[in-house]
């Protein structure tokens, strides 16, 4: 789908990518329906709360150093701001820089909801710019501003004439999409629209889109072997660095859900190739991903030499630990960027994925193709896999765990991991996006699985003392019992 930077609002994933939050079936069915265009969302007649896309949009932007993020919203919408700022400071300190980003909420109240608050917004932006001297300004919107029709675009357009730094409206009204990953696209749109400049010269740099860059050092060293520098996005990036990402050799990402809009956007607008393989998790993922990068930047020989050297160190150790993991049964509950990647890695480790739940599902990415991880899984999985799509509907996850009694549950979101443990299921929180990165990460991940399934006293003791709110009635239902058939 062609990107349109002339409009300030990005189409939601539901509209752009045919993304869904309700599905219950299996791998073959999901991929086949995606390919032939018959995949439809199924609504729930009961659902628990989920997450707002504005958090993804504004938190991503607040990771950029020394910018101003304004959330034009009631106070509650900015509840995630303190956490973001603490995290930004810690991640900046880790690499020896400072991030003086300021995150401000406009604290809209009842009066603002009736009469509007564009004057207040204007005053806050100008005053905050005067005091903090940011390098760019991002003005987020909210459900309230969307419902009352607050004209944030006009305020931003007027201020472009008055302040001499980039300023963008970030349309992240929570009600417009159930898929919080739409927030990633919204932040990318704001960066592409207002920060990134036309390329002047090619630079020996790879754009690396990730979350919290815990393996920044390792990745910088790997790419240095190929004579290439890395530009991590957005955490700790400066506005000046972002201006030049249109000049890079390629864009890669640690998670397809996170990277699709920026990667495809830079390719469409400036011809920067976007690496669209499976991600660098597990052995197949790491090799496929790195070889494709090597091909794209003309460094295949160097990549092959690096892989050969590393294989000799790690593959024998991975093969050894697989003997202990063989046959263990797993349930997964993660964002779609990881669900199908981790399923593949577990199969590499000779484990069996008995159910994989994704918090949403993108029927295609911004290049109109089925996400590579799912495509790869369909072609390589030794058998079909039960799949569901549920926007963190914990009651469905616990039903699945109760029915399948897996040896281990994997999630990337702490809330659901805790509930699995309370149910007595061994669970591993795959919090760090680099936990399974490359050969070394895969080996460490395999060891963590073994530790988790062998040390069971914590969840056994906790489960004995906790009374869960789920009744036997619910456990006897199909986990998708509240999904309604999609209307034809
Ligand atoms: S923008 Fe809407 S959904 Fe998001 S936190 Fe605010 S009120 Fe809630």
């Amino acid at each position: 789908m062609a990107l349109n930077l002339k409009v300030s609002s990005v189409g939601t994933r539901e509209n752009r990518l045919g993304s869904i939050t309700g599905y219950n079936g299996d791998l073959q069915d999901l991929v086949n329906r995606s390919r032939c265009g018959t995949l439809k969302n199924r609504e729930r007649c009961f659902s628990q709360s989920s997450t707002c896309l504005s958090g993804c949009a504004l938190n991503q932007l607040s990771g950029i150093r020394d910018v101003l993020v304004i959330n034009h919203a009631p106070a509650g919408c900015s509840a995630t701001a303190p956490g973001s700022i603490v995290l930004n400071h810690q991640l900046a300190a880790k690499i020896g820089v400072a991030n003086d980003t300021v995150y401000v909420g406009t604290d809209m109240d009842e009066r603002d909801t009736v009469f509007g608050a564009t004057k207040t917004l204007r005053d806050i932006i100008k005053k905050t710019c005067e005091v903090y001297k940011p390098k760019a300004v991002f003005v987020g919107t909210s459900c309230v501003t969307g419902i009352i029709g607050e004209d944030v675009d006009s305020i931003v357009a007027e201020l472009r004439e008055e302040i001499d730094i980039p300023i963008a409206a970030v349309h992240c009204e929570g009600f417009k999409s159930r898929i919080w990953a739409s927030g990633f696209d919204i932040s990318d749109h704001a960066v592409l629209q207002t920060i990134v400049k036309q390329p002047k010269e090619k630079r020996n740099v790879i754009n690396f889109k990730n979350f919290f860059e815990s393996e920044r050092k390792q990745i910088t060293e790997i790419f240095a072997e190929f004579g290439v520098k890395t530009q991590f996005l957005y955490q700790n990036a400066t506005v000046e660095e972002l201006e030049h990402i249109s000049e890079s050799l390629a864009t890669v990402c640690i998670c397809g859900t996170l990277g699709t809009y920026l990667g495809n956007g830079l390719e469409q607008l400036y011809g920067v190739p976007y690496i669209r393989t499976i991600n660098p998790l597990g052995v197949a993922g790491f090799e496929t991903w790195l070889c494709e990068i090597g091909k794209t930047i003309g460094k295949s020989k160097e990549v092959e030499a690096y892989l050969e050297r590393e294989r000799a160190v790690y593959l024998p150790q991975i093969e050894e630990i697989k003997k202990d993991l063989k046959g263990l049964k797993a349930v997964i509950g993660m964002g779609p960027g990881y669900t199908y990647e981790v399923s593949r890695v577990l199969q590499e480790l000779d484990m069996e994925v008995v159910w994989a739940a994704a918090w949403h599902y993108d029927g295609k990415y911004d290049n109109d193709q089925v996400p590579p991880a799912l495509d790869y899984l369909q072609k390589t999985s030794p058998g079909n896999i039960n799949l569901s799509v549920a926007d963190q509907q914990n009651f469905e996850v616990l039903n699945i765990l109760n029915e399948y009694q897996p040896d281990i549950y994997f999630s990337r979101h702490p809330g659901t991991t805790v509930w699995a443990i309370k149910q007595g299921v061994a669970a591993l929180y795959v919090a760090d996006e680099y936990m399974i990165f490359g050969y070394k990460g895969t080996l460490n991940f395999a060891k963590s699985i073994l530790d988790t399934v062998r040390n069971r006293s914590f969840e056994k003791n906790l489960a004995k003392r906790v009374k869960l709110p789920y009744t036997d009635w619910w456990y006897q239902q199909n986990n998708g019992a509240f999904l309604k058939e999609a209307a034809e």
Side-chain angles (χ1 to χ4, degrees):
M1 180 175 280
L3 268 71
N4 181 2
L5 293 185
K6 293 201 176 107
V7 295
S8 64
S9 190
V10 189
T12 61
R13 288 205 172 201
E14 288 94 329
N15 293 332
R16 258 182 31 250
L17 311 181
S19 307
I20 59 168
T21 50
Y23 172 82
N24 196 294
D26 60 56
L27 173 65
Q28 299 299 337
D29 177 67
L30 187 70
V31 179
N32 292 338
R33 281 176 188 268
S34 301
R35 288 215 179 94
C36 69
T38 56
L39 183 66
K40 290 208 168 95
N41 190 40
R42 290 176 70 191
E43 297 288 338
R44 285 179 177 76
C45 56
F46 168 78
S47 68
Q48 296 180 217
S49 63
S50 187
T51 302
C52 171
L53 59 84
S54 72
C56 287
L58 300 180
N59 293 347
Q60 281 283 307
L61 293 169
S62 79
I64 302 169
R65 279 161 62 190
D66 309 334
V67 298
L68 167 61
V69 175
I70 304 235
N71 194 5
H72 192 32
C77 299
S78 306
T80 59
S84 288
I85 291 299
V86 169
L87 190 67
N88 290 341
H89 286 162
Q90 290 173 341
L91 293 175
K94 204 171 158 196
I95 62 162
V97 297
N99 181 353
D100 290 326
T101 282
V102 176
Y103 195 139
V104 176
T106 58
D107 192 18
M108 292 181 80
D109 59 15
E110 287 86 349
R111 195 183 156 78
D112 296 330
T113 307
V114 175
F115 298 106
T118 47
K119 182 175 178 318
T120 316
L121 173 65
R122 198 176 203 292
D123 293 346
I124 290 174
I125 296 172
K126 290 202 76 170
K127 184 73 187 165
T128 322
C129 282
E130 257 170 57
V131 174
Y132 292 100
K133 312 249 178 299
K135 302 277 180 9
V137 184
F138 299 103
V139 186
T141 59
S142 59
C143 290
V144 171
T145 60
I147 289 166
I148 66 171
E150 192 88 318
D151 191 359
V152 174
D153 284 332
S154 292
I155 297 295
V156 165
E158 282 168 31
L159 285 171
R160 278 204 185 107
E161 309 295 318
E162 298 174 34
I163 56 176
D164 59 355
I165 51 173
I167 176 166
V170 183
H171 282 279
C172 52
E173 300 87 0
F175 62 69
K176 74 179 183 186
S177 171
R178 280 197 192 150
I179 296 167
W180 64 79
S182 290
F184 299 142
D185 311 338
I186 293 166
S187 57
D188 291 342
H189 189 78
V191 168
L192 285 168
Q193 202 185 29
T194 50
I195 310 281
V196 179
K197 293 191 169 162
Q198 287 289 336
K200 286 193 187 135
E201 55 180 357
K202 215 57 186 166
R203 299 189 348 157
N204 215 20
V205 170
I206 291 218
N207 299 324
F208 203 114
K209 188 114 192 279
N210 70 165
F211 292 99
F212 306 122
E213 57 181 33
S214 64
E215 289 297 343
R216 185 178 176 120
K217 185 169 172 288
Q218 185 195 166
I219 288 162
T220 305
E221 286 168 3
I222 292 175
F223 283 99
E225 290 212 21
F226 316 139
V228 180
K229 288 190 178 149
T230 35
Q231 174 60 59
F232 290 90
L233 308 168
Y234 294 116
Q235 198 71 44
N236 285 324
T238 65
V239 170
E240 204 264 330
E241 286 168 346
L242 292 178
E243 287 173 356
H244 294 284
I245 59 176
S246 57
E247 297 171 345
S248 298
L249 297 176
T251 305
V252 302
C253 65
I254 191 66
C255 164
T257 303
L258 177 73
T260 176
Y261 197 87
L262 185 78
N264 283 290
L266 288 170
E267 186 171 273
Q268 275 183 33
L269 299 166
Y270 307 114
V272 179
Y274 178 42
I275 307 295
R276 294 187 185 85
T277 62
I278 50 176
N279 284 345
L281 313 183
V283 172
F286 189 52
E287 294 182 354
T288 308
W289 178 82
L290 212 49
C291 287
E292 185 62 25
I293 294 173
K295 211 159 71 181
T296 306
I297 63 173
K299 299 279 180 180
S300 290
K301 270 193 192 152
E302 291 84 342
V303 166
E304 197 39 61
Y306 167 83
L307 286 173
E308 210 176 308
R309 197 182 72 214
E310 296 291 299
R311 270 186 212 122
V313 178
Y314 293 106
L315 290 201
Q317 297 181 68
I318 294 173
E319 285 305 315
E320 192 55 35
I321 203 164
K322 274 167 67 175
K323 292 176 194 157
D324 293 321
L325 297 175
K326 192 173 173 59
L328 288 178
K329 290 185 174 29
V331 169
I332 302 173
M334 299 183 179
Y338 272 76
T339 300
Y340 311 117
E341 300 277 352
V342 175
S343 296
R344 179 190 71 243
V345 176
L346 295 180
Q347 289 183 344
E348 274 181 12
L349 295 174
D350 286 344
M351 292 174 64
E352 185 189 351
V353 179
V354 292
W355 195 287
W359 303 149
H360 82 267
Y361 170 66
D362 300 314
K364 56 185 182 175
Y365 277 164
D366 283 284
N367 61 341
D368 284 331
Q369 299 296 316
V370 170
L374 200 69
D375 185 57
Y376 188 97
L377 195 61
Q378 191 208 21
K379 289 172 183 152
T380 60
S381 175
N384 208 351
I385 302 177
N386 294 314
L387 296 184
S388 56
V389 179
D391 46 350
Q392 269 187 321
Q393 298 303 313
N394 214 35
F395 68 100
E396 290 181 7
V397 173
L398 264 73
N399 180 305
I400 293 164
L401 293 174
N402 181 68
E403 181 178 350
Y404 288 89
Q405 296 292 323
D407 296 293
I408 186 163
Y409 171 64
F410 297 92
S411 179
R412 267 182 47 77
H413 298 82
T416 108
T417 317
V418 169
W419 282 91
I421 291 171
K422 285 180 182 171
Q423 205 185 35
V425 177
L428 185 57
Y429 175 30
V430 188
D432 187 330
E433 76 255 34
Y434 290 108
M435 192 166 170
I436 322 174
F437 177 78
Y439 299 134
K440 190 175 167 194
T442 305
L443 177 63
N444 289 340
F445 179 62
K447 287 179 181 171
S448 298
I449 296 172
L450 216 47
D451 278 349
T452 309
V453 296
R454 283 180 173 168
N455 295 291
R456 301 292 313 277
S457 59
F458 175 58
E459 59 267 14
K460 278 185 183 161
N461 281 326
L462 194 64
K464 263 192 236 160
R465 289 162 175 79
V466 171
K467 182 166 168 26
L468 291 172
Y470 304 104
T471 61
D472 286 343
W473 175 84
W474 171 239
Y475 285 141
Q476 282 155 18
Q477 307 305 305
N478 179 302
N479 69 77
F482 290 130
L483 283 167
K484 294 186 288 180
E485 283 310 316
E488 290 302 323

